[in-house]
Amino acid sequence: MKIQLKLFSLFLMVITNVTVKAQDEKFIIRGIFEGDYHGYIYLKYDNKYGAKVKDSVMIENGKFNFEGQVNCYIQRASLRLSSTSLRCDEPNAVCFGLDNSIVDIKLAYNQFQKIQVKGVLTSVILKTYLQRQRKFVTRIKEYKEKQIKLSDFDSIKTLEMRIDKYSEKLFNMDRRYWRKKPNSNISPFLVARNSSIFSDTSLVQVFNSLSTLQQNSYYGLLIKKEIKGRQKLKNLIGTKAPLFKTRDDSNNIISLDNIYKDKIVLLDFWASWCIPCRASHPNLISLYKKYKNKGFEIIGIAANDHEEMKWREAIKKDNLEWINILSIADAKLMGLNNIDIGANYMITEIPIKILIDKNGTILGRYDGNEEKELDKKLKEIFSNK
């Protein structure tokens, strides 16, 4: 792809300005306000220490000013006329990107959504970058809107494959960017928005590839927090699995401690509406057939399946011959105990699979990207049986 040298030089100049900003610099907001309003305006943002700040100044003669420090860049600072406002899409409330620059802002009463912002260099380059991705984002949005209207899983899956195709294009663009510009304010933002795609090891590697400045930026610290959270989950390995007693889809009483006494148990946290979850079922069925007679059992635990009929239909359509139960408060629909299996296992996303041995000890925890690791672990366990 050819880029005019003059424009490319300007692009490099902006990038350079974005990446060299030190954390000890501050932002200065110079605001112009139009309209019949006399009172305070409120600025909310996360400061360089990660603390949430709410500052306020009086609008005088149609002008207002703020000063402060952010940690490299944040995408959601906000200006509001009400101190209690929570939304950013109100007539007198708006969110905007902010870095440590001199920022000129123009607002009009009851027209905050028409905000004019100049000087936030990171936002300038991020806007240009996101515009390059717009055609992919638009296509993904179109497919998702079509998905909502469908009930046939095969049709939904076909659209999901198309969504995955364009999602991969977005991811590859983001990855090329943070690899080339590890010190850009945009890079940790791009990593953070893709964090769920990475395995634990990969996320640590990508985080370590960022510059020290960006590792300690607002979004860098969010990534670091997620890494620690994942490690906390890994620390559950080797501990006793939380017990539960409930009923399955055939109304049979299911007690975890009675099952793992004789078998290696895999808890599969999924949902009928979760495409990646159901896409993993063919491999699970293969593993189940392979190891069932060697002392292997699967318990499918449907998380947030609010429509019991769709859950039952998914079990039948996917040929899930193992134990199937509902999780969380949905279990009450079948007159079950007031339990929260997902919360007990710290399930915040799906699909997640948890392997438990005959002593009730957690052997492993596997997300949607770790299918091969699970296969390898089961092969290791049953190789001598």
Side-chain angles (χ1 to χ4, degrees):
M1 180 175 64
K2 295 182 179 180
I3 301 176
Q4 293 182 357
L5 291 178
K6 185 175 181 180
L7 290 175
F8 186 64
S9 297
L10 177 61
F11 180 85
L12 287 178
M13 180 179 71
V14 174
I15 282 289
T16 302
N17 287 335
V18 168
T19 58
V20 298
K21 285 190 169 297
Q23 286 176 294
D24 58 353
E25 290 189 357
K26 64 181 180 180
F27 65 78
I28 298 175
I29 294 177
R30 303 182 299 200
I32 295 176
F33 190 92
E34 297 179 347
D36 186 18
Y37 174 81
H38 305 281
Y40 284 93
I41 185 168
Y42 300 87
L43 172 69
K44 294 182 179 180
Y45 65 98
D46 292 87
N47 68 12
K48 63 177 293 186
Y49 303 106
K52 295 188 179 300
V53 175
K54 182 169 72 174
D55 197 0
S56 63
V57 295
M58 179 70 73
I59 297 174
E60 296 180 347
N61 300 319
K63 295 182 179 180
F64 62 91
N65 293 278
F66 289 101
E67 291 188 11
Q69 290 180 307
V70 293
N71 201 344
C72 291
Y73 174 72
I74 57 173
Q75 197 188 27
R76 284 179 66 86
S78 67
L79 284 168
R80 313 163 191 268
L81 294 187
S82 170
S83 62
T84 58
S85 172
L86 299 176
R87 297 171 60 92
C88 283
D89 57 355
E90 298 174 353
N92 291 306
V94 67
C95 287
F96 63 100
L98 183 63
D99 61 15
N100 292 318
S101 305
I102 296 176
V103 185
D104 291 308
I105 290 180
K106 187 174 181 180
L107 291 169
Y109 186 63
N110 281 336
Q111 297 183 45
F112 272 40
Q113 300 309 310
K114 296 181 179 181
I115 184 175
Q116 296 179 32
V117 182
K118 294 181 180 180
V120 183
L121 299 177
T122 305
S123 290
V124 172
I125 198 62
L126 179 59
K127 182 178 180 181
T128 302
Y129 178 81
L130 295 178
Q131 284 177 340
R132 292 169 52 205
Q133 296 186 325
R134 183 174 296 174
K135 60 181 179 180
F136 301 138
V137 174
T138 300
R139 191 60 60 87
I140 290 171
K141 183 180 179 181
E142 290 173 355
Y143 287 145
K144 286 189 174 182
E145 289 175 348
K146 289 180 180 179
Q147 267 190 328
I148 295 173
K149 300 176 182 178
L150 295 174
S151 57
D152 177 63
F153 179 71
D154 290 334
S155 299
I156 293 173
K157 188 174 180 181
T158 298
L159 285 177
E160 188 67 21
M161 291 173 66
R162 294 176 182 174
I163 291 172
D164 288 344
K165 174 184 175 183
Y166 286 101
S167 296
E168 185 175 1
K169 291 179 182 293
L170 291 175
F171 173 75
N172 288 335
M173 284 182 67
D174 288 354
R175 180 170 57 185
R176 285 194 295 269
Y177 190 94
W178 72 61
R179 282 180 173 178
K180 289 181 180 180
K181 300 176 176 64
N183 197 44
S184 168
N185 284 349
I186 298 172
S187 291
F189 166 76
L190 297 178
V191 174
R193 77 172 184 172
N194 286 283
S195 62
S196 63
I197 297 175
F198 295 108
S199 67
D200 297 344
T201 301
S202 296
L203 185 58
V204 172
Q205 290 174 343
V206 172
F207 175 77
N208 289 337
S209 72
L210 298 173
S211 69
T212 301
L213 175 66
Q214 296 304 338
Q215 287 179 8
N216 291 288
S217 68
Y218 174 77
Y219 290 104
L221 293 178
L222 287 183
I223 300 167
K224 186 182 291 187
K225 182 179 180 180
E226 179 169 347
I227 290 172
K228 289 182 178 179
R230 291 191 185 192
Q231 185 57 51
K232 186 177 180 181
L233 294 177
K234 288 295 184 183
N235 290 340
L236 293 176
I237 297 174
T239 65
K240 285 291 184 179
L243 299 179
F244 55 82
K245 185 176 182 181
T246 184
R247 292 182 182 272
D248 66 8
D249 57 324
S250 298
N251 208 36
N252 299 311
I253 295 176
I254 302 299
S255 180
L256 178 61
D257 55 348
N258 285 336
I259 297 174
Y260 70 56
K261 285 180 180 178
D262 303 311
K263 299 177 180 180
I264 298 294
V265 178
L266 182 71
L267 305 182
D268 175 32
F269 288 90
W270 70 293
S272 62
W273 47 263
C274 172
I275 304 299
C277 300
R278 297 182 66 178
S280 72
H281 283 160
N283 184 60
L284 277 187
I285 290 171
S286 176
L287 293 173
Y288 191 58
K289 290 179 178 179
K290 187 175 183 179
Y291 299 121
K292 180 180 179 181
N293 294 330
K294 294 184 177 183
F296 178 55
E297 186 57 80
I298 297 176
I299 302 178
I301 305 175
N304 291 328
D305 247 317
H306 299 291
E307 297 188 44
E308 183 183 335
M309 186 58 67
K310 288 188 176 181
W311 168 61
R312 292 182 179 277
E313 289 174 354
I315 292 171
K316 183 177 180 180
K317 184 173 182 60
D318 292 4
N319 296 313
L320 307 183
E321 298 179 355
W322 48 75
I323 299 168
N324 286 284
I325 63 176
L326 287 165
S327 181
I328 320 179
D330 304 73
K332 294 179 182 178
L333 297 175
M334 298 176 67
L336 310 179
N337 299 332
N338 185 16
I339 54 176
D340 191 340
I341 301 173
N344 288 343
Y345 282 90
M346 300 176 69
I347 303 300
T348 57
E349 61 182 16
I350 51 176
I352 291 290
K353 297 171 177 59
I354 295 176
L355 194 62
I356 301 170
D357 70 10
K358 295 181 180 181
N359 296 314
T361 301
I362 296 177
L363 296 177
R365 183 184 177 103
Y366 308 91
D367 62 27
N369 300 313
E370 298 175 306
E371 193 172 85
K372 291 182 179 179
E373 288 83 349
L374 173 60
D375 294 358
K376 182 179 179 181
K377 185 64 176 179
L378 289 174
K379 184 177 181 180
E380 174 188 314
I381 292 172
F382 293 109
S383 60
N384 299 321
K385 295 185 179 183

